[in-house]
Amino acid sequence: MDRTERHSVGRAVPDDDTERHDRTTAEQTDRTEQRAPHETSEARDYRAAFHVSRLAMALLDREGTVLDANDALGELLGTGTDALADQAAADLLDLASDTRTWHAYHEALDSLRARFRCTRRLKHPDGRTLWAEVAVAPVPDTDRVLLSVTDISDRRELQARLRHLQQHDPVTRLPNRTLFFERLAAALDSSARGDGPFEGGTYGSRTYATGAAAYGTGIAYGVASAAAASYSARGHDRGPGRGNGRGNGRVDGRTGRIGLCYLDLDGFKAVNDTLGHRTGDRLLAAVAGRLTECADHGGYTRSGGHLVARLGGDEFAILVEDSTGTEQLADLARSVLAALQRPFDLAGQRLSVSASIGVVERTVEGTTPTGLMQAADTTLYWAKADGKARWTLFDPERNAHRMTRQALTSALRPAVEREEFVLQYQPLVGMADGIVRGVEALVRWNHPQFGTLSPNRFIGIAEEDGSIVQLGGWVLRTACRQARRWQLDHPGAQPLFVSVNVAVRQVWDSDLVGDVAGILAETGLSPHLLQLELTESAVMGSAGRPLQALQALSDMGVRIAIDDFGTGYSNLAYLSRLPVSVLKLDGSFVRGFRYDEGVHPSPADETIVEALIQLAHRLGLTVTAECVETSGQAARLQRIGCDTGQGWLFSRPVAPERIAEMIAAVSPNGA
Ligand code: C2E
Ligand code: MG
Ligand code: MG
């Protein structure tokens, strides 16, 4: 390769050592040659590279004293290169401020480790803060050590920003769910260990074990500190182990307790729906501002601010680390309610909101993030159920009675075997004459601990785990037996039919036809006095076995009713082709026309119901209205031709003895 070729690629690369020195490092060459007049040309090459390198470097002796430094280091530290000579690197780079760093640094100086790295925060003479990554490595076979320093400030700032974005909610600028749970976990974890997250024995053993690990931990430390710094700007951070002088007997200010206010705005959805999401967002941001004020300077806290986070939607949390007891949390909850009570002025709109707050306060020991959040969630639910716009304190007693779905699921099967269930009966009344025609059997669970449970709490579970088949069989037999008993006890009265709810699975997974036939034979009840209620979804698209079952039952003389009609998507004409004879109109239709309570009736609903009833009649179906609660509703239902009604206006579901009394009262011979 000759000179011409080299020049042809456009790079004026000199091809002898002297020329390279002259052209590129004139200044340094002078200095290096002064210092080492006898060194080899190879050594001179390295020295030159060292001085022109843009990586800030220094050669140290085994004591850590700077023997030589390049301009990049002088520039990075803002001292100039010459001032670095004979300085202790530890002083320049703040390597002595903590013992672990100091120790690891010395191990590298003594060649006890091949490499040491750490991240330091330095003060540049021009006033700015500098994040530097320092690496120290012994030069093999010499008594020199190479130090290099990289300015990672930009990277650090970028990381901190990204992290901030990931951990904050853009609408309210509050810490988000991620950050909240991180802090909660750290609070429970560090308090449990009794030390701060960056202190204690576990840290040192891992941190500097290898260069790579040290590097990783350095970053993690820095990011955590940066995140912490972003709180403290908002008054949210109390660093680990920083005392607050509370009289709790622990000098470190740790109380070993933690508290949480879990808050949900009442009726926020309506704001969003009626005024739009922009207004909704503004309201959330304004609420966030008030919550932060409460948490920062409510006057009740001696410890400074608490973490306020938006957990999602209209849910917020205030985390009180090192709480002093329930009174502190109660004060906080009260101040939050008071702060939110003042109306909000949002771009010309005046809005009032209220909130419900679940308050939990407990010892850190034995508390997990999940446990704490579940308790807070339950308590918030109580606050809502108790009437909203209030705070409620977690009550372990009340919680013990709250049955979990799991508890119910596991208790259900044995309960079916032990027959912990009872039936109540609700009259089905002729709309034209007010005479009771039949009753619907409604099951209740007399749970030994939880008391009487309504079917809405356990039928779904029973359907899921299949125990509905056994339970449904029991209901059917009991109801038929009861209907027969009334009939036998009141021979002069018009016999009542009994209407029994049947779950889909009973049609699919059991021999419903065989069971019904057997029960009717066993009890002596006429098939005409039995009605089975199935939901639309149970009969929709039914073909094959279910349809055959319905047909067989119908052929037997048993009536089939469609329960909660109108909540599904059934086609009335289609239903009429099935062996169905009764429609039970869902309560929501009837609720649509309350006449007599100052609420305007909805003519649309009434028109729909009227058309529905007419159509049903034309298709040969009778119609029963559910949830008839007022005489106004009853009058309208009667006028538009509804056949029977069921509801509190006539009677709540009652024990069988009460039905017997009703029969006796209307029976001609009073028997
Ligand atoms: P459903 O079959 O629609 O029963 C009517 C429900 O409405 C009953 O609730 C009844 O107490 C309630 N109700 C009656 N009148 C009124 C009123 O005027 N206003 C209002 N707001 N409600 C009224 P319950 O007893 O809690 O039963 C709930 C559901 O549980 C039943 O709805 C039924 O789907 C199911 N269920 C009840 N017993 C059984 C059963 O033995 N087997 C099966 N598979 N499901 C059952
Ligand atoms: Mg029913
Ligand atoms: Mg119903």
Side-chain angles (χ1 to χ4, degrees):
M1 211 183 271
D2 66 28
R3 252 171 211 265
T4 326
E5 268 180 290
R6 284 174 186 258
H7 287 150
S8 73
V9 292
R11 290 148 81 218
V13 181
D15 61 355
D16 80 82
D17 290 345
T18 323
E19 195 178 337
R20 188 189 303 159
H21 279 228
D22 288 343
R23 291 182 60 141
T24 57
T25 63
E27 197 188 317
Q28 287 92 339
T29 308
D30 290 350
R31 199 164 58 215
T32 34
E33 293 204 332
Q34 275 167 18
R35 282 182 193 170
H38 308 300
E39 62 187 4
T40 62
S41 92
E42 189 187 14
R44 277 201 309 275
D45 280 355
Y46 278 116
R47 185 174 292 282
F50 173 86
H51 280 286
V52 295
S53 171
R54 294 182 61 186
L55 175 63
M57 287 187 284
L59 267 181
L60 313 180
D61 64 15
R62 293 291 178 176
E63 306 299 312
T65 307
V66 175
L67 298 174
D68 197 2
N70 67 4
D71 287 347
L73 184 62
E75 208 173 291
L76 188 146
L77 296 178
T79 53
T81 315
D82 292 337
L84 296 175
D86 302 326
Q87 298 273 341
D91 295 342
L92 295 170
L93 297 165
D94 189 30
L95 299 176
S97 61
D98 74 86
T99 40
R100 276 182 302 270
T101 305
W102 177 244
H103 189 69
Y105 169 57
H106 272 273
E107 282 183 355
L109 290 181
D110 295 343
S111 291
L112 294 174
R113 61 165 74 218
R115 201 148 89 116
F116 156 71
R117 283 210 212 187
C118 67
T119 301
R120 309 311 287 168
R121 194 173 163 203
L122 306 174
K123 200 90 192 149
H124 195 274
D126 71 6
R128 75 196 150 95
T129 297
L130 190 78
W131 282 96
E133 190 184 293
V134 180
V136 178
V139 180
D141 307 321
T142 69
D143 55 357
R144 302 289 158 91
V145 175
L146 185 68
L147 168 90
S148 66
V149 183
T150 316
D151 183 351
I152 55 162
S153 304
D154 289 350
R155 191 166 91 206
R156 289 293 294 248
E157 199 193 325
L158 191 66
Q159 275 173 339
R161 272 192 201 191
L162 279 176
R163 188 120 172 114
H164 187 88
L165 281 177
Q166 279 164 4
Q167 295 185 323
H168 289 79
D169 158 48
V171 172
T172 60
R173 296 174 189 279
L174 288 180
N176 64 13
R177 211 179 166 79
T178 311
L179 184 45
F180 173 79
F181 277 100
E182 225 164 76
R183 288 267 295 193
L184 176 60
L188 292 175
D189 193 41
S190 68
S191 300
R193 282 209 321 264
D195 59 27
F198 307 126
E199 295 169 348
T202 52
Y203 183 63
S205 60
R206 252 185 323 122
T207 310
Y208 299 110
T210 67
Y215 175 79
T217 313
I219 290 297
Y221 185 115
V223 170
S225 320
S230 76
Y231 292 131
S232 42
R234 304 168 30 84
H236 277 145
D237 189 56
R238 310 192 304 77
R242 234 175 276 166
N244 56 17
R246 265 180 266 143
N248 52 40
R250 292 182 62 161
V251 268
D252 60 358
R254 288 275 152 120
T255 63
R257 304 190 67 85
I258 192 159
L260 178 68
C261 284
Y262 185 29
L263 174 150
D264 183 292
L265 297 182
D266 302 323
F268 176 73
K269 193 181 173 310
V271 174
N272 250 349
D273 290 349
T274 55
L275 302 174
H277 286 264
R278 277 172 66 97
T279 308
D281 284 356
R282 282 203 195 109
L283 178 62
L284 289 175
V287 165
R290 299 231 179 131
L291 294 182
T292 306
E293 270 170 41
C294 286
D296 281 352
H297 15 254
Y300 50 83
T301 157
R302 281 160 287 182
S303 63
H306 312 299
L307 176 72
V308 183
R310 181 182 176 204
L311 299 188
D314 57 347
E315 278 173 32
F316 297 87
I318 306 179
L319 184 67
V320 180
E321 290 179 52
D322 298 313
S323 59
T324 52
T326 52
E327 202 40 49
Q328 184 191 11
L329 270 292
D331 283 347
L332 176 58
R334 272 191 284 266
S335 79
V336 166
L337 287 182
L340 295 183
Q341 220 160 37
R342 287 180 279 127
F344 291 87
D345 282 312
L346 303 172
Q349 307 221 47
R350 214 171 157 78
L351 279 183
S352 293
V353 292
S354 65
S356 303
I357 310 178
V359 177
V360 183
E361 205 279 337
R362 48 176 63 174
T363 58
V364 161
E365 199 176 326
T367 298
T368 61
T370 319
L372 188 72
M373 291 315 290
Q374 267 170 3
D377 191 56
T378 303
T379 315
L380 174 59
Y381 171 78
W382 293 337
K384 292 257 180 208
D386 291 351
K388 302 184 179 171
R390 70 193 58 222
W391 64 274
T392 300
L393 187 64
F394 180 76
D395 174 2
E397 280 287 300
R398 192 172 174 181
N399 192 50
H401 291 289
R402 183 186 73 113
M403 59 242 116
T404 62
R405 205 176 155 80
Q406 284 130 297
L408 279 188
T409 307
S410 54
L412 192 60
R413 261 181 198 280
V416 174
E417 263 141 44
R418 282 197 300 268
E419 301 201 351
E420 283 176 4
F421 299 87
V422 291
L423 293 185
Q424 287 190 335
Y425 299 87
Q426 189 176 30
L428 297 154
V429 179
M431 295 303 294
D433 51 18
I435 293 175
V436 180
R437 297 288 152 77
V439 291
E440 178 175 2
L442 294 161
V443 67
R444 277 90 182 87
W445 182 359
N446 283 337
H447 193 286
Q449 275 163 277
F450 304 142
T452 303
L453 301 180
S454 94
N456 292 330
R457 308 210 78 143
F458 60 85
I459 289 292
I461 300 174
E463 288 191 31
E464 267 170 38
D465 80 349
S467 50
I468 191 69
V469 172
Q470 201 185 343
L471 176 61
W474 178 84
V475 170
L476 195 62
R477 179 170 291 104
T478 310
C480 290
R481 214 176 266 161
Q482 183 60 60
R484 180 65 177 152
R485 180 106 314 276
W486 287 321
Q487 193 185 5
L488 294 175
D489 288 351
H490 307 274
Q494 181 73 30
L496 298 184
F497 72 85
V498 67
S499 193
V500 177
N501 293 284
V502 174
V504 201
R505 263 186 101 147
Q506 285 176 267
V507 189
W508 280 97
D509 296 1
S510 71
D511 178 17
L512 186 62
V513 182
D515 289 351
V516 169
I519 288 168
L520 290 177
E522 174 194 315
T523 58
L525 188 74
S526 156
H528 301 98
L529 294 179
L530 178 61
Q531 173 173 297
L532 299 180
E533 299 189 10
L534 286 99
T535 55
E536 291 173 63
S537 53
V539 297
M540 269 301 278
S542 61
R545 187 177 155 141
L547 184 57
Q548 282 167 20
L550 294 187
Q551 194 60 57
L553 289 165
S554 175
D555 291 346
M556 221 187 274
V558 173
R559 239 173 328 164
I560 308 292
I562 300 298
D563 202 356
D564 306 335
F565 180 80
T567 54
Y569 302 93
S570 320
N571 172 324
L572 202 51
Y574 168 79
L575 279 181
S576 71
R577 271 181 262 131
L578 299 176
V580 167
S581 46
V582 180
L583 287 189
K584 293 192 74 179
L585 274 192
D586 189 68
S588 51
F589 283 104
V590 180
R591 234 167 274 136
F593 47 95
R594 294 176 153 231
Y595 215 37
D596 36 9
E597 281 161 45
V599 183
H600 289 297
S602 156
D605 274 339
E606 202 179 317
T607 312
I608 291 169
V609 176
E610 186 171 6
L612 210 66
I613 292 172
Q614 284 172 3
L615 188 58
H617 284 168
R618 234 176 289 150
L619 295 169
L621 301 163
T622 60
V623 180
T624 303
E626 297 182 14
C627 292
V628 184
E629 294 181 358
T630 70
S631 51
Q633 290 169 337
R636 299 169 80 77
L637 284 166
Q638 189 197 342
R639 204 170 50 231
I640 60 180
C642 185
D643 305 285
T644 33
Q646 173 183 4
W648 299 343
L649 173 67
F650 310 110
S651 169
R652 301 241 169 188
V654 293
E657 300 77 44
R658 297 287 308 282
I659 300 292
E661 287 165 22
M662 276 180 221
I663 302 171
V666 295
S667 149
N669 51 18

